[in-house]
Short mmCIF file of all heavy atoms in Angstrom, two decimals:
data_model
loop_
_atom_site.label_atom_id
_atom_site.label_comp_id
_atom_site.label_asym_id
_atom_site.label_seq_id
_atom_site.Cartn_x
_atom_site.Cartn_y
_atom_site.Cartn_z
N GLY A 246 68.58 -5.72 47.55
CA GLY A 246 68.74 -7.10 47.16
C GLY A 246 68.91 -8.05 48.34
O GLY A 246 68.67 -7.71 49.49
N THR A 247 69.34 -9.24 48.02
CA THR A 247 69.45 -10.31 49.01
C THR A 247 70.90 -10.56 49.39
O THR A 247 71.78 -10.58 48.53
CB THR A 247 68.85 -11.61 48.44
OG1 THR A 247 67.48 -11.37 48.11
CG2 THR A 247 68.91 -12.75 49.46
N VAL A 248 71.14 -10.72 50.68
CA VAL A 248 72.51 -10.95 51.17
C VAL A 248 73.10 -12.20 50.53
O VAL A 248 72.39 -13.11 50.11
CB VAL A 248 72.53 -11.09 52.70
CG1 VAL A 248 72.09 -9.80 53.37
CG2 VAL A 248 71.67 -12.27 53.17
N HIS A 249 74.43 -12.24 50.48
CA HIS A 249 75.13 -13.38 49.90
C HIS A 249 75.65 -14.34 50.96
O HIS A 249 76.04 -15.46 50.64
CB HIS A 249 76.29 -12.89 49.02
CG HIS A 249 75.81 -12.14 47.82
ND1 HIS A 249 75.59 -12.74 46.61
CD2 HIS A 249 75.48 -10.84 47.65
CE1 HIS A 249 75.15 -11.85 45.74
NE2 HIS A 249 75.08 -10.68 46.34
N GLU A 250 75.68 -13.90 52.19
CA GLU A 250 76.07 -14.75 53.30
C GLU A 250 75.17 -14.42 54.49
O GLU A 250 74.65 -13.30 54.59
CB GLU A 250 77.54 -14.52 53.70
CG GLU A 250 78.56 -14.82 52.61
CD GLU A 250 78.76 -16.30 52.36
OE1 GLU A 250 78.16 -17.12 53.11
OE2 GLU A 250 79.51 -16.64 51.43
N LEU A 251 75.01 -15.39 55.36
CA LEU A 251 74.28 -15.17 56.60
C LEU A 251 75.26 -15.02 57.76
O LEU A 251 76.32 -15.63 57.77
CB LEU A 251 73.34 -16.36 56.89
CG LEU A 251 72.29 -16.69 55.83
CD1 LEU A 251 71.48 -17.91 56.28
CD2 LEU A 251 71.37 -15.50 55.59
N ASN A 252 74.90 -14.17 58.72
CA ASN A 252 75.67 -14.09 59.95
C ASN A 252 74.72 -13.94 61.12
O ASN A 252 73.49 -13.96 60.95
CB ASN A 252 76.70 -12.95 59.89
CG ASN A 252 76.05 -11.59 59.75
OD1 ASN A 252 75.05 -11.29 60.39
ND2 ASN A 252 76.62 -10.74 58.91
N ALA A 253 75.25 -13.79 62.30
CA ALA A 253 74.41 -13.76 63.50
C ALA A 253 73.44 -12.61 63.52
O ALA A 253 72.42 -12.65 64.21
CB ALA A 253 75.31 -13.71 64.75
N ASN A 254 73.73 -11.55 62.76
CA ASN A 254 72.87 -10.37 62.76
C ASN A 254 71.94 -10.27 61.57
O ASN A 254 71.22 -9.28 61.43
CB ASN A 254 73.75 -9.11 62.81
CG ASN A 254 74.59 -9.03 64.06
OD1 ASN A 254 74.11 -9.31 65.16
ND2 ASN A 254 75.86 -8.68 63.91
N THR A 255 71.95 -11.27 60.72
CA THR A 255 71.09 -11.21 59.54
C THR A 255 69.63 -11.19 59.94
O THR A 255 69.18 -12.03 60.73
CB THR A 255 71.35 -12.41 58.60
OG1 THR A 255 72.74 -12.45 58.26
CG2 THR A 255 70.53 -12.27 57.33
N HIS A 256 68.89 -10.24 59.39
CA HIS A 256 67.48 -10.07 59.72
C HIS A 256 66.67 -11.29 59.25
O HIS A 256 66.95 -11.87 58.21
CB HIS A 256 66.95 -8.79 59.05
CG HIS A 256 65.61 -8.36 59.53
ND1 HIS A 256 64.45 -8.88 59.05
CD2 HIS A 256 65.27 -7.44 60.48
CE1 HIS A 256 63.42 -8.30 59.66
NE2 HIS A 256 63.89 -7.43 60.53
N PRO A 257 65.64 -11.68 60.01
CA PRO A 257 64.83 -12.85 59.63
C PRO A 257 64.23 -12.75 58.23
O PRO A 257 64.12 -13.76 57.53
CB PRO A 257 63.74 -12.90 60.70
CG PRO A 257 64.36 -12.25 61.90
CD PRO A 257 65.25 -11.17 61.36
N ILE A 258 63.85 -11.55 57.82
CA ILE A 258 63.26 -11.42 56.48
C ILE A 258 64.32 -11.67 55.42
O ILE A 258 64.06 -12.30 54.39
CB ILE A 258 62.60 -10.04 56.31
CG1 ILE A 258 61.43 -9.90 57.28
CG2 ILE A 258 62.11 -9.86 54.88
CD1 ILE A 258 60.78 -8.53 57.27
N GLN A 259 65.54 -11.18 55.68
CA GLN A 259 66.62 -11.47 54.73
C GLN A 259 66.91 -12.97 54.67
O GLN A 259 67.24 -13.50 53.61
CB GLN A 259 67.89 -10.70 55.11
CG GLN A 259 67.93 -9.28 54.59
CD GLN A 259 68.23 -9.23 53.09
OE1 GLN A 259 68.22 -10.25 52.41
NE2 GLN A 259 68.51 -8.05 52.57
N ARG A 260 66.78 -13.66 55.78
CA ARG A 260 66.98 -15.10 55.78
C ARG A 260 65.93 -15.79 54.89
O ARG A 260 66.22 -16.76 54.20
CB ARG A 260 66.92 -15.65 57.20
CG ARG A 260 68.08 -15.21 58.07
CD ARG A 260 67.94 -15.73 59.51
NE ARG A 260 69.04 -15.23 60.31
CZ ARG A 260 70.23 -15.82 60.40
NH1 ARG A 260 70.45 -16.95 59.73
NH2 ARG A 260 71.18 -15.31 61.14
N GLU A 261 64.72 -15.26 54.95
CA GLU A 261 63.64 -15.80 54.12
C GLU A 261 63.98 -15.67 52.64
O GLU A 261 63.82 -16.62 51.87
CB GLU A 261 62.35 -15.04 54.44
CG GLU A 261 61.13 -15.52 53.69
CD GLU A 261 59.89 -14.69 54.01
OE1 GLU A 261 59.98 -13.74 54.82
OE2 GLU A 261 58.83 -14.98 53.42
N PHE A 262 64.47 -14.50 52.24
CA PHE A 262 64.85 -14.32 50.84
C PHE A 262 66.09 -15.13 50.49
O PHE A 262 66.19 -15.68 49.38
CB PHE A 262 65.10 -12.83 50.55
CG PHE A 262 63.84 -12.04 50.39
CD1 PHE A 262 63.41 -11.20 51.40
CD2 PHE A 262 63.08 -12.14 49.25
CE1 PHE A 262 62.24 -10.47 51.26
CE2 PHE A 262 61.91 -11.41 49.09
CZ PHE A 262 61.48 -10.57 50.11
N TYR A 263 67.02 -15.20 51.41
CA TYR A 263 68.26 -15.95 51.17
C TYR A 263 67.95 -17.40 50.80
O TYR A 263 68.56 -17.97 49.88
CB TYR A 263 69.15 -15.91 52.42
CG TYR A 263 70.46 -16.65 52.28
CD1 TYR A 263 71.63 -15.99 51.93
CD2 TYR A 263 70.53 -18.02 52.53
CE1 TYR A 263 72.84 -16.68 51.80
CE2 TYR A 263 71.73 -18.71 52.41
CZ TYR A 263 72.87 -18.04 52.05
OH TYR A 263 74.06 -18.72 51.92
N ASP A 264 66.99 -18.00 51.50
CA ASP A 264 66.69 -19.41 51.27
C ASP A 264 66.17 -19.64 49.86
O ASP A 264 66.35 -20.74 49.31
CB ASP A 264 65.67 -19.91 52.28
CG ASP A 264 65.49 -21.41 52.21
OD1 ASP A 264 66.42 -22.14 52.59
OD2 ASP A 264 64.43 -21.87 51.71
N PHE A 265 65.57 -18.62 49.26
CA PHE A 265 65.11 -18.77 47.88
C PHE A 265 66.19 -18.36 46.89
O PHE A 265 66.54 -19.13 45.98
CB PHE A 265 63.85 -17.91 47.66
CG PHE A 265 63.28 -18.03 46.27
CD1 PHE A 265 62.51 -19.12 45.91
CD2 PHE A 265 63.53 -17.06 45.31
CE1 PHE A 265 61.98 -19.24 44.62
CE2 PHE A 265 63.02 -17.16 44.03
CZ PHE A 265 62.24 -18.25 43.68
N TYR A 266 66.74 -17.17 47.03
CA TYR A 266 67.63 -16.61 46.01
C TYR A 266 69.07 -17.10 46.08
O TYR A 266 69.79 -16.99 45.09
CB TYR A 266 67.63 -15.08 46.10
CG TYR A 266 66.37 -14.45 45.58
CD1 TYR A 266 65.47 -13.85 46.45
CD2 TYR A 266 66.07 -14.46 44.22
CE1 TYR A 266 64.30 -13.26 45.98
CE2 TYR A 266 64.91 -13.89 43.74
CZ TYR A 266 64.02 -13.29 44.62
OH TYR A 266 62.86 -12.71 44.16
N ARG A 267 69.49 -17.60 47.23
CA ARG A 267 70.92 -17.95 47.40
C ARG A 267 71.14 -19.43 47.64
O ARG A 267 72.23 -19.84 48.06
CB ARG A 267 71.53 -17.14 48.54
CG ARG A 267 71.40 -15.63 48.41
CD ARG A 267 72.02 -15.11 47.13
NE ARG A 267 71.91 -13.65 47.04
CZ ARG A 267 71.95 -12.97 45.90
NH1 ARG A 267 72.09 -13.62 44.74
NH2 ARG A 267 71.83 -11.66 45.89
N THR A 268 70.14 -20.26 47.41
CA THR A 268 70.32 -21.71 47.50
C THR A 268 69.74 -22.32 46.22
O THR A 268 69.02 -21.66 45.47
CB THR A 268 69.60 -22.32 48.72
OG1 THR A 268 68.19 -22.37 48.47
CG2 THR A 268 69.88 -21.51 49.99
N PRO A 269 70.03 -23.60 45.98
CA PRO A 269 69.49 -24.24 44.77
C PRO A 269 67.97 -24.22 44.67
O PRO A 269 67.43 -24.47 43.59
CB PRO A 269 70.02 -25.68 44.88
CG PRO A 269 71.28 -25.55 45.66
CD PRO A 269 71.00 -24.48 46.68
N ARG A 270 67.30 -23.92 45.77
CA ARG A 270 65.83 -23.86 45.73
C ARG A 270 65.35 -22.89 44.64
O ARG A 270 64.40 -23.20 43.91
CB ARG A 270 65.30 -23.42 47.09
CG ARG A 270 63.80 -23.17 47.13
CD ARG A 270 63.36 -22.66 48.49
NE ARG A 270 62.08 -21.99 48.42
CZ ARG A 270 61.58 -21.22 49.38
NH1 ARG A 270 62.27 -21.04 50.51
NH2 ARG A 270 60.39 -20.65 49.22
N GLY A 271 65.97 -21.71 44.52
CA GLY A 271 65.50 -20.74 43.54
C GLY A 271 66.59 -19.93 42.87
O GLY A 271 66.30 -19.04 42.07
N GLU A 272 67.85 -20.22 43.20
CA GLU A 272 68.94 -19.41 42.65
C GLU A 272 69.04 -19.57 41.14
O GLU A 272 69.00 -20.68 40.61
CB GLU A 272 70.26 -19.80 43.30
CG GLU A 272 71.43 -18.92 42.87
CD GLU A 272 72.68 -19.21 43.67
OE1 GLU A 272 72.78 -20.30 44.26
OE2 GLU A 272 73.57 -18.34 43.71
N TYR A 273 69.18 -18.44 40.45
CA TYR A 273 69.32 -18.46 39.00
C TYR A 273 70.09 -17.22 38.56
O TYR A 273 69.74 -16.11 38.95
CB TYR A 273 67.95 -18.48 38.31
CG TYR A 273 68.06 -18.59 36.80
CD1 TYR A 273 68.17 -19.83 36.18
CD2 TYR A 273 68.05 -17.45 36.00
CE1 TYR A 273 68.28 -19.93 34.80
CE2 TYR A 273 68.15 -17.55 34.62
CZ TYR A 273 68.27 -18.79 34.03
OH TYR A 273 68.39 -18.90 32.67
N THR A 274 71.13 -17.42 37.77
CA THR A 274 71.93 -16.31 37.26
C THR A 274 71.73 -16.23 35.75
O THR A 274 72.17 -17.13 35.02
CB THR A 274 73.42 -16.49 37.58
OG1 THR A 274 73.59 -16.61 39.00
CG2 THR A 274 74.22 -15.30 37.08
N PRO A 275 71.07 -15.20 35.25
CA PRO A 275 70.81 -15.09 33.82
C PRO A 275 72.07 -14.73 33.05
O PRO A 275 73.06 -14.26 33.63
CB PRO A 275 69.77 -13.97 33.73
CG PRO A 275 70.04 -13.13 34.94
CD PRO A 275 70.48 -14.07 36.00
N PRO A 276 72.06 -14.92 31.74
CA PRO A 276 73.22 -14.55 30.92
C PRO A 276 73.57 -13.07 31.10
O PRO A 276 72.69 -12.21 31.18
CB PRO A 276 72.74 -14.82 29.49
CG PRO A 276 71.66 -15.84 29.64
CD PRO A 276 70.99 -15.53 30.94
N GLY A 277 74.86 -12.80 31.22
CA GLY A 277 75.32 -11.43 31.36
C GLY A 277 75.39 -10.92 32.78
O GLY A 277 75.95 -9.85 33.03
N ALA A 278 74.82 -11.67 33.72
CA ALA A 278 74.87 -11.28 35.13
C ALA A 278 75.88 -12.15 35.86
O ALA A 278 76.45 -13.09 35.30
CB ALA A 278 73.49 -11.42 35.78
N THR A 279 76.13 -11.85 37.11
CA THR A 279 76.94 -12.70 37.98
C THR A 279 76.14 -12.96 39.25
O THR A 279 75.16 -12.27 39.54
CB THR A 279 78.27 -12.04 38.36
OG1 THR A 279 78.03 -10.99 39.32
CG2 THR A 279 78.98 -11.45 37.14
N ARG A 280 76.56 -13.94 40.00
CA ARG A 280 75.86 -14.24 41.25
C ARG A 280 75.88 -13.06 42.20
O ARG A 280 75.03 -12.93 43.08
CB ARG A 280 76.50 -15.46 41.93
CG ARG A 280 76.35 -16.75 41.14
CD ARG A 280 76.91 -17.92 41.92
NE ARG A 280 76.12 -18.21 43.11
CZ ARG A 280 76.64 -18.57 44.27
NH1 ARG A 280 77.96 -18.64 44.40
NH2 ARG A 280 75.86 -18.84 45.29
N LEU A 281 76.86 -12.16 42.04
CA LEU A 281 76.96 -11.02 42.94
C LEU A 281 76.10 -9.84 42.49
O LEU A 281 75.96 -8.86 43.23
CB LEU A 281 78.42 -10.59 43.07
CG LEU A 281 79.31 -11.56 43.84
CD1 LEU A 281 80.76 -11.13 43.76
CD2 LEU A 281 78.86 -11.65 45.30
N THR A 282 75.55 -9.89 41.31
CA THR A 282 74.70 -8.79 40.86
C THR A 282 73.22 -9.15 40.89
O THR A 282 72.37 -8.25 40.84
CB THR A 282 75.07 -8.34 39.44
OG1 THR A 282 74.86 -9.42 38.52
CG2 THR A 282 76.52 -7.87 39.37
N THR A 283 72.88 -10.42 40.94
CA THR A 283 71.46 -10.80 40.93
C THR A 283 70.75 -10.23 42.16
O THR A 283 71.30 -10.20 43.25
CB THR A 283 71.29 -12.32 40.91
OG1 THR A 283 71.94 -12.91 42.04
CG2 THR A 283 71.86 -12.91 39.63
N THR A 284 69.55 -9.78 41.93
CA THR A 284 68.59 -9.19 42.89
C THR A 284 68.89 -7.74 43.26
O THR A 284 68.03 -7.08 43.84
CB THR A 284 68.44 -9.99 44.21
OG1 THR A 284 69.53 -9.72 45.11
CG2 THR A 284 68.29 -11.49 43.95
N HIS A 285 70.09 -7.23 42.96
CA HIS A 285 70.48 -5.90 43.45
C HIS A 285 70.15 -4.80 42.44
O HIS A 285 70.76 -4.74 41.36
CB HIS A 285 71.98 -5.86 43.75
CG HIS A 285 72.42 -6.88 44.75
ND1 HIS A 285 72.03 -6.84 46.07
CD2 HIS A 285 73.21 -7.98 44.62
CE1 HIS A 285 72.57 -7.87 46.71
NE2 HIS A 285 73.28 -8.57 45.85
N PRO A 286 69.22 -3.89 42.74
CA PRO A 286 68.95 -2.77 41.84
C PRO A 286 70.08 -1.74 41.89
O PRO A 286 70.87 -1.69 42.83
CB PRO A 286 67.64 -2.19 42.38
CG PRO A 286 67.67 -2.54 43.83
CD PRO A 286 68.35 -3.88 43.92
N ALA A 287 70.13 -0.90 40.86
CA ALA A 287 71.13 0.15 40.82
C ALA A 287 70.78 1.24 41.83
O ALA A 287 69.63 1.68 41.92
CB ALA A 287 71.20 0.75 39.42
N LEU A 288 71.76 1.67 42.57
CA LEU A 288 71.55 2.63 43.67
C LEU A 288 70.93 3.93 43.19
O LEU A 288 69.96 4.43 43.79
CB LEU A 288 72.90 2.91 44.34
CG LEU A 288 72.92 4.00 45.42
CD1 LEU A 288 72.08 3.59 46.61
CD2 LEU A 288 74.35 4.30 45.84
N THR A 289 71.46 4.52 42.11
CA THR A 289 70.99 5.85 41.71
C THR A 289 69.57 5.84 41.16
O THR A 289 68.86 6.84 41.25
CB THR A 289 71.92 6.47 40.66
OG1 THR A 289 72.02 5.57 39.54
CG2 THR A 289 73.31 6.73 41.24
N SER A 290 69.15 4.73 40.58
CA SER A 290 67.80 4.68 40.02
C SER A 290 66.77 4.13 40.99
O SER A 290 65.56 4.32 40.79
CB SER A 290 67.79 3.84 38.73
OG SER A 290 68.13 2.49 39.00
N ASN A 291 67.19 3.47 42.05
CA ASN A 291 66.24 2.87 42.98
C ASN A 291 65.33 3.93 43.61
O ASN A 291 64.18 3.65 43.97
CB ASN A 291 66.97 2.09 44.07
CG ASN A 291 66.05 1.12 44.80
OD1 ASN A 291 65.54 0.18 44.19
ND2 ASN A 291 65.82 1.36 46.07
N VAL A 292 65.82 5.18 43.71
CA VAL A 292 65.00 6.23 44.30
C VAL A 292 63.81 6.59 43.42
O VAL A 292 62.89 7.29 43.87
CB VAL A 292 65.83 7.50 44.59
CG1 VAL A 292 66.85 7.22 45.70
CG2 VAL A 292 66.52 8.01 43.34
N LYS A 293 63.79 6.15 42.17
CA LYS A 293 62.63 6.42 41.32
C LYS A 293 61.37 5.80 41.89
O LYS A 293 60.25 6.24 41.59
CB LYS A 293 62.89 5.93 39.90
CG LYS A 293 64.01 6.67 39.18
CD LYS A 293 64.18 6.20 37.75
CE LYS A 293 65.41 6.84 37.09
NZ LYS A 293 65.31 8.30 37.01
N PHE A 294 61.53 4.79 42.72
CA PHE A 294 60.36 4.21 43.38
C PHE A 294 59.68 5.22 44.32
O PHE A 294 58.51 5.07 44.64
CB PHE A 294 60.76 2.96 44.17
CG PHE A 294 60.88 1.72 43.34
CD1 PHE A 294 61.95 0.86 43.52
CD2 PHE A 294 59.91 1.38 42.40
CE1 PHE A 294 62.07 -0.30 42.78
CE2 PHE A 294 60.01 0.22 41.65
CZ PHE A 294 61.09 -0.62 41.83
N MET A 295 60.42 6.21 44.79
CA MET A 295 59.83 7.21 45.68
C MET A 295 58.67 7.94 45.00
O MET A 295 57.77 8.45 45.67
CB MET A 295 60.89 8.22 46.13
CG MET A 295 62.11 7.62 46.82
SD MET A 295 61.75 7.02 48.48
CE MET A 295 63.42 6.65 49.06
#
Side-chain angles (χ1 to χ4, degrees):
T247 301
V248 296
H249 294 267
E250 299 286 355
L251 301 179
N252 62 42
N254 298 317
T255 304
H256 192 277
I258 297 175
Q259 275 285 10
R260 292 177 183 275
E261 182 182 0
F262 283 104
Y263 180 96
D264 188 70
F265 181 79
Y266 287 110
R267 304 302 181 203
T268 75
R270 174 184 160 194
E272 185 172 20
Y273 183 86
T274 303
T279 74
R280 295 184 67 219
L281 290 173
T282 62
T283 58
T284 79
H285 302 294
L288 174 65
T289 56
S290 64
N291 198 64
V292 292
K293 295 183 187 298
F294 279 135
M295 303 288 189

